[in-house]
Each structure stands twice: as structure tokens, then as C-alpha cells.
Amino acid sequence: MPTVIISQKVLPGKHGEFRQYQGDIGQLVKTQPGFVGMEVLEPVEGLQSEFVVVFRFLTDQELQDWLVNGERQLILKKLAGTLSEPPSMQILSDENRPRQAVSVVFTQRIRPGAEQEFQRWRKEMVEAQSHFPGYLGTESFPSTPGIQEDWVDIVRFESATELEAWLASPERKRLLDRKSGLSEKLQERRVASGLEAWFSTAKKGTPPPPRWKQALAVLLALYPTASLIAFVLGPIINPWPLALRMLTANFLGVAVLTWIAMPFLTRRLAFWLAPHEKSAKTDVLGALIVFIALAALVLTFLLLL
């Protein structure tokens, strides 16, 4: 069943206003063709810092029609004023759709003193790309002094054609022109989903999980792996040329993911990656576990590294 999971971090003092706008969206979605159900999971102190909203529809097309609904977009513009950062959206699409999701990784280094203006610009960028057909979501990795100096965004679309339409769009060009002076040169790298080999240990004899689950599982394994490699090896390899540093870090990262991290993680998440029966409840539970684990890792690294 097509489902969209939206995580939203609300500004302090804005919870009442956020709930009001979310209530308006809840009333609107009930009038949409194909609507099946909606759940709102409120923050839980010490466990979950964001509001998580789940919408379920009968078909992919009805879900897509809801996401681009004009009345919804008007409410979202008001709701955006209650958020501390752009929302994160995960779409659990029909597995039979004959498309291969693609991603583009953007890397840029924010110029000192331009952090707040960069965040405002980036919020507009995420909002603009979310209106384009095929958009699946954006994952962000803020710069962390001593570990990761660059800001990294991973933008996902359902197909290469839809991704290219966004990359070549006048809206994106206009926003890029406004970015001048906020960050150093923007680097981008396109990535197609091809992670199935890492999930052969989830459950023997079962097909690989949907690509959105593969992406979340790899993210959960990659983040601590890359952070620890940078922390442990940083003092040793920092004097080396950039090309050699990147080769060493990537070689170790791939080795750890292939032989240690991914086999361990796929066994622990087998109930979600390869369930006996498909269930929206299991899908949401597994995704929440991944998000909570990522939040715990971020907090741990902030305290220890």
C-alpha cells in the first residue's frame, strides 16, 4: 500500500500552531480519492524529537496527486514557519513499479559567517524540488568540525528522467544563481540504487527489500562507519594528498560495510527488510527504529568525538 512518512522538527513555542495546520491537512486529506488512513506520532522526550506523520493511499497515482495538491501546498507554506528545518519525506511506493530510483549527492562547504543565510537558501531549494514529479525525499548531513567539513545533501527521485528534469529546471537555476557567495563550489554525483548484494543475508531465499529500505539500512551502517574512520584515521592521513585520503577512507568504508556492518545490520533488521507478510505497521516501525538509531548516533558522536 503506497505510504508517505513525513518527519518534521517543530520550533520551540510553535507546537500549538503546528498542530492547527496539521489538523487542517488532516481534514483536507480525508476528501482525497484513494485515501486510506493517517497517523500523527508526536515527539517523545529522550526518544523521538520530531513529529512523524504517515499517510496511506490505495495507489501510487493517488498518493502523488495528494502530494502535489494545491490546497495542501498552501497549508504547507504556512506550516513551514513553525519548522526549524525542512521536513524529511520517505515514500513507500508500489514495489511493482518498473522504475529504478536514482539519487544525486551534493557536497558543498559553507563560507564562514554565511551559515544562517545558507540555511534559508537551502530551505527554499528543498521546498522547490519537493514539487517536482518523482521526488522521493532529501537526506542531509550537516558539517561537523573535525569529522566532516562539508554539508552533504542526498536528493532522491523515482527515475533518471525525473531527476534530470529537476536538475535542468529554471527554478533550480534561479536558486543556484542566488547561492553565490554562500558556499564554495557545489559538487554533485549521481547514484543509481544497486545495493541488493548487501541484503542477501536478511533472509535466505527472499527477494531483496524495496530500495527505500535498502537506502535507510545503508545510511544507518554508513554514518557510524564513515564517522569512526574519519575520527580514527584523520590525524594519520590528513597530511596525505586528497586523492589518496579519499581512496583510503573509501576502501576501508566499503570493506567494513561489506563484511561487518551490513551483514550484522541486515540480520538485526530482518523482520523489517524481509517480513513474512507485508504490513504498513511493520514498515513504519522499522523506519522509526532506523531514524531513532541515527538520532542516537548523532547525539553520541556530538558528545564523544
Side-chain angles (χ1 to χ4, degrees):
M1 182 179 297
T3 302
V4 60
I5 304 172
I6 305 174
S7 300
Q8 300 166 100
K9 186 170 291 186
V10 180
L11 289 165
K14 293 286 187 177
H15 288 69
E17 189 177 350
F18 171 84
R19 291 187 180 94
Q20 177 183 343
Y21 291 133
Q22 192 61 61
D24 293 340
I25 292 176
Q27 292 300 316
L28 177 63
V29 72
K30 293 177 182 178
T31 67
Q32 301 306 298
F35 173 69
V36 174
M38 169 186 173
E39 297 175 35
V40 179
L41 307 177
E42 299 220 354
V44 178
E45 187 175 356
L47 184 64
Q48 173 189 317
S49 62
E50 300 176 333
F51 281 83
V52 178
V53 185
V54 182
F55 298 100
R56 294 187 297 279
F57 281 79
L58 288 175
T59 68
D60 285 352
Q61 186 57 56
E62 288 165 332
L63 173 58
Q64 290 292 339
D65 290 344
W66 160 245
L67 293 177
V68 299
N69 179 282
E71 292 181 69
R72 175 177 179 266
Q73 297 300 327
L74 291 176
I75 300 174
L76 288 180
K77 288 182 179 179
K78 300 176 182 178
L79 184 143
T82 69
L83 304 180
S84 60
E85 59 187 52
S88 172
M89 182 168 66
Q90 299 291 332
I91 296 180
L92 289 60
S93 187
D94 183 355
E95 294 180 23
N96 296 322
R97 177 171 295 189
R99 295 183 176 183
Q100 182 178 29
V102 293
S103 301
V104 59
V105 181
F106 296 105
T107 304
Q108 49 196 323
R109 185 163 299 184
I110 305 173
R111 294 190 183 278
E115 290 82 3
Q116 291 186 351
E117 191 174 354
F118 174 85
Q119 291 298 335
R120 287 192 291 269
W121 169 84
R122 184 184 163 278
K123 186 175 183 179
E124 290 185 47
M125 177 67 81
V126 174
E127 174 68 18
Q129 66 197 17
S130 70
H131 297 160
F132 272 67
Y135 175 74
L136 294 178
T138 299
E139 296 293 336
S140 302
F141 301 89
S143 56
T144 303
I147 299 177
Q148 174 185 301
E149 299 299 329
D150 296 331
W151 182 287
V152 179
D153 282 313
I154 303 176
V155 181
R156 300 189 313 283
F157 276 79
E158 290 183 344
S159 70
T161 300
E162 290 163 325
L163 171 62
E164 292 299 333
W166 157 246
L167 294 177
S169 67
E171 291 91 335
R172 180 172 182 268
K173 184 179 185 303
R174 174 180 58 81
L175 286 166
L176 288 177
D177 289 342
R178 287 179 47 200
K179 187 183 73 72
S180 177
L182 299 182
S183 67
E184 298 179 5
K185 184 179 179 180
L186 177 69
Q187 297 180 341
E188 64 181 63
R189 180 168 61 91
R190 291 165 176 78
V191 182
S193 176
L195 309 172
E196 287 81 359
W198 274 341
F199 295 88
S200 59
T201 58
K203 278 186 183 177
K204 300 296 183 182
T206 62
R211 292 189 178 95
W212 70 269
K213 290 187 180 181
Q214 296 180 35
L216 284 181
V218 172
L219 175 62
L220 181 56
L222 178 60
Y223 174 59
T225 299
S227 298
L228 289 173
I229 288 175
F231 176 72
V232 174
L233 291 184
I236 300 174
I237 67 175
N238 278 343
W240 298 2
L242 176 61
L244 190 55
R245 296 202 310 268
M246 293 299 294
L247 175 62
T248 302
N250 286 331
F251 172 80
L252 291 174
V254 169
V256 171
L257 288 176
T258 301
W259 285 290
I260 301 175
M262 289 308 300
F264 173 84
L265 196 59
T266 52
R267 285 193 293 269
R268 299 304 183 276
L269 293 177
F271 79 95
W272 174 62
L273 294 170
H276 292 294
E277 296 182 2
K278 295 180 181 179
S279 165
K281 183 177 180 180
T282 300
D283 287 343
V284 172
L285 175 62
L288 285 176
I289 289 174
V290 172
F291 289 134
I292 291 170
L294 285 170
L297 286 169
V298 170
L299 179 60
T300 300
F301 290 145
L302 287 175
L303 294 175
L304 300 180
L305 300 186

